[in-house]
Amino acid sequence: MLQRLSRRLYSLPRHSTPTLFVSRHCPQVALGWTRPSLISSQITRTVSPLHPHLCSFHSTRHSPRSANSTPPVKSSLDPATYKTLAFYHICSLEKKDLGPWRDQLLSDLKQWHIVGRIYLSTEGINAQISCPEQYMEALSDYYTSEIQPRLGPNVMDLNLGTEHGQRSFRALHVRIRKQLVADGLDPSTYDLSQQPSHLPPSEWHQKLTEYKEKHGKEPVLIDMRNHYESQIGYFEGAVRPDVNTFRESIQAMNSIVKDLPRDQEIFMYCTGGIRCSKAGAILQTQSGFDTVHLVQGGITAYGHWIRQQNVTSLYRGKNFTFDARLGEAITEEVTKIHFQPSGPVVVEGVRAYVKEGQMNMQPRTGPSDPSDPSDPSERVVVGQCGVECEHEHHRRLRAIEVLGKPGQVLQEWAKAGRELPSQHSL
């Protein structure tokens, strides 16, 4: 189990110190990290209310605010009035203009108590935000008068989520990035101006519904999201690669289509459209495909459209979202249980690992287990918590590079008095 864990742990964030937290009583292992400024921060453990054997760790202190963000919103506004929405646009922006625009967005949007994430790049803009309902009209006017003119023609409308009722973000962050979505490719090898076909949800639905009847075969439909996103919802008949990053999605996409004729229509989808806009341009300019389609506004827009129609949805389950909601329902259907014995699981969109051989994942119905450790002293810490990382931050590190091999982790467990699994010996 530990070897599988080491192989599949995610890359660590930049400017962070990796720390492995291990409970003496809890069967799972969790990777955490702290920023250099958190030298004296307390690390706390959070137990899932639905699945108490799964837990995560977080710091109770946050790093100082930078010029890229506003403080967490503290207002008398009811969080239930917030609407979650998104927009993006692929276009060429001048690097020198990004800093001033970031400052302007932070200054202008905070007056309406808007929270969320906005990324600026020479490739364009990508935004996911939450806005109080009473300020939605003001935001719409601002978007039309201030944001759209900077981006050029054919800019999408604000793309409202299908579920609201909570503030999906804590604060407003506007950050400048080298790329809107990291693809791992040389940007000179593709042309983002060669955008794929953006089909309205109605046309997307019609094309997929009629494709087999017209062409005598199933459409080539690719899910451009990560594996934990497609596990809780997907379009029927889609190829859903087992990937963790967009870089891996691009590699999987190229592998899927490598033997197809270049006049073959390709359909692809993602949450809101940004990943497909980039992947489609790469597929057309690098691989020479004539026609690549995406659903305009992504799964979110399709979900809105399907709720207004008297037709059967081609999408099943939930649309994973990278915010506090962790997903929005497109249909009421629940896809297969997100659990594989002795391996990774996804529970309500959260990736975790469970003890080898543990099969049951029932919600807690009775009182808390007295042996369930909530005291930080009941955890074993492997690594240096709160010490500035000496590794180079221009590259992403795997946990095993810093924490060591699983055998070293077992030795730390043994030193702490934790009972080792019977199949392991030191």
Side-chain angles (χ1 to χ4, degrees):
M1 184 270 287
L2 290 172
Q3 291 175 340
R4 281 191 299 274
L5 176 60
S6 294
R7 286 197 301 267
R8 303 193 63 170
L9 280 173
Y10 296 128
S11 300
L12 299 176
R14 292 185 175 186
H15 308 296
S16 60
T17 299
T19 307
L20 187 67
F21 301 97
V22 184
S23 167
R24 289 185 181 143
H25 305 288
C26 212
Q28 73 286 336
V29 179
L31 177 69
W33 51 80
T34 58
R35 295 189 182 276
S37 59
L38 305 182
I39 293 178
S40 61
S41 299
Q42 178 185 3
I43 304 297
T44 59
R45 175 177 181 272
T46 302
V47 180
S48 167
L50 293 179
H51 304 281
H53 58 281
L54 298 179
C55 62
S56 62
F57 299 87
H58 64 277
S59 171
T60 57
R61 179 181 166 191
H62 302 278
S63 57
R65 290 285 149 194
S66 69
N68 299 325
S69 62
T70 62
V73 170
K74 295 181 181 179
S75 70
S76 58
L77 295 174
D78 183 0
T81 67
Y82 273 74
K83 300 289 185 181
T84 301
L85 58 140
F87 64 89
Y88 77 92
H89 190 63
I90 301 290
C91 63
S92 179
L93 297 177
E94 292 291 335
K95 187 176 182 179
K96 62 181 177 61
D97 296 332
L98 299 182
W101 195 16
R102 173 195 60 198
D103 298 340
Q104 180 183 341
L105 288 171
L106 284 169
S107 175
D108 293 346
L109 297 181
K110 70 180 181 180
Q111 63 182 308
W112 300 308
H113 302 271
I114 290 173
V115 293
R117 295 185 296 259
I118 301 177
Y119 300 125
L120 301 176
S121 167
T122 54
E123 296 179 341
I125 186 172
N126 184 27
Q128 302 87 40
I129 57 178
S130 284
C131 177
E133 187 172 13
Q134 67 191 74
Y135 297 124
M136 283 294 296
E137 185 176 352
L139 172 61
S140 179
D141 292 341
Y142 181 82
Y143 182 68
T144 303
S145 62
E146 298 293 334
I147 296 180
Q148 286 184 328
R150 285 178 174 261
L151 303 176
N154 304 318
V155 180
M156 67 184 297
D157 295 329
L158 293 175
N159 192 15
L160 276 173
T162 59
E163 289 186 358
H164 307 281
Q166 70 180 103
R167 192 170 61 218
S168 299
F169 306 91
R170 295 183 64 252
L172 176 63
H173 302 272
V174 184
R175 297 191 171 104
I176 297 174
R177 284 187 162 181
K178 185 176 180 180
Q179 293 183 303
L180 289 179
V181 189
D183 53 43
L185 303 175
D186 180 353
S188 65
T189 62
Y190 57 84
D191 184 1
L192 286 180
S193 67
Q194 301 299 312
Q195 283 291 290
S197 167
H198 288 59
L199 300 179
S202 57
E203 189 174 347
W204 168 269
H205 183 91
Q206 182 179 3
K207 274 187 172 292
L208 288 181
T209 302
E210 299 174 353
Y211 191 89
K212 185 174 183 179
E213 181 180 347
K214 286 186 175 182
H215 301 277
K217 58 182 179 181
E218 298 292 342
V220 178
L221 178 58
I222 306 174
D223 192 321
M224 291 304 300
R225 302 173 299 161
N226 299 328
H227 72 94
Y228 52 85
E229 299 175 76
S230 62
Q231 282 184 337
I232 65 172
Y234 51 86
F235 276 99
E236 292 183 6
V239 180
R240 297 176 284 152
D242 182 17
V243 297
N244 293 318
T245 66
F246 183 64
R247 296 183 184 194
E248 293 178 4
S249 292
I250 294 295
Q251 296 169 4
M253 172 191 74
N254 288 331
S255 177
I256 291 167
V257 304
K258 66 178 181 179
D259 296 326
L260 296 177
R262 273 20 187 186
D263 60 353
Q264 168 71 52
E265 280 185 291
I266 306 294
F267 296 82
M268 58 176 58
Y269 66 92
C270 57
T271 304
I274 180 71
R275 285 175 278 188
C276 290
S277 289
K278 195 165 193 181
I282 292 171
L283 202 56
Q284 291 181 156
T285 57
Q286 275 196 346
S287 302
F289 279 88
D290 298 332
T291 308
V292 180
H293 301 297
L294 64 86
V295 54
Q296 186 174 351
I299 302 167
T300 300
Y302 182 82
H304 261 296
W305 178 80
I306 206 70
R307 292 186 179 193
Q308 301 168 1
Q309 310 301 315
N310 188 25
V311 295
T312 301
S313 174
L314 300 180
Y315 189 90
R316 301 172 55 193
K318 297 181 69 174
N319 178 25
F320 185 95
T321 59
F322 291 91
D323 56 49
R325 297 172 300 161
L326 286 179
E328 51 188 11
I330 305 300
T331 67
E332 297 303 319
E333 183 178 10
V334 177
T335 57
K336 68 176 184 178
I337 186 65
H338 326 305
F339 173 63
Q340 301 170 7
S342 304
V345 299
V346 176
V347 181
E348 293 301 318
V350 180
R351 186 170 175 81
Y353 288 81
V354 297
K355 182 178 179 180
E356 184 172 1
Q358 182 169 340
M359 300 292 291
N360 297 321
M361 296 182 62
Q362 300 299 323
R364 177 185 292 171
T365 56
S368 299
D369 184 351
S371 66
D372 190 14
S374 58
D375 185 347
S377 64
E378 293 297 320
R379 293 194 305 275
V380 180
V381 178
V382 181
Q384 295 179 312
C385 177
V387 178
E388 184 172 0
C389 184
E390 74 277 12
H391 295 273
E392 297 176 338
H393 297 304
H394 66 271
R395 70 184 186 93
R396 300 178 71 87
L397 297 175
R398 296 294 176 183
I400 194 170
E401 297 181 60
V402 180
L403 298 176
K405 297 181 179 179
Q408 295 171 271
V409 176
L410 289 172
Q411 290 175 7
E412 295 292 336
W413 283 1
K415 292 178 184 177
R418 186 189 191 282
E419 182 180 355
L420 299 178
S422 57
Q423 66 268 35
H424 294 290
S425 60
L426 296 176

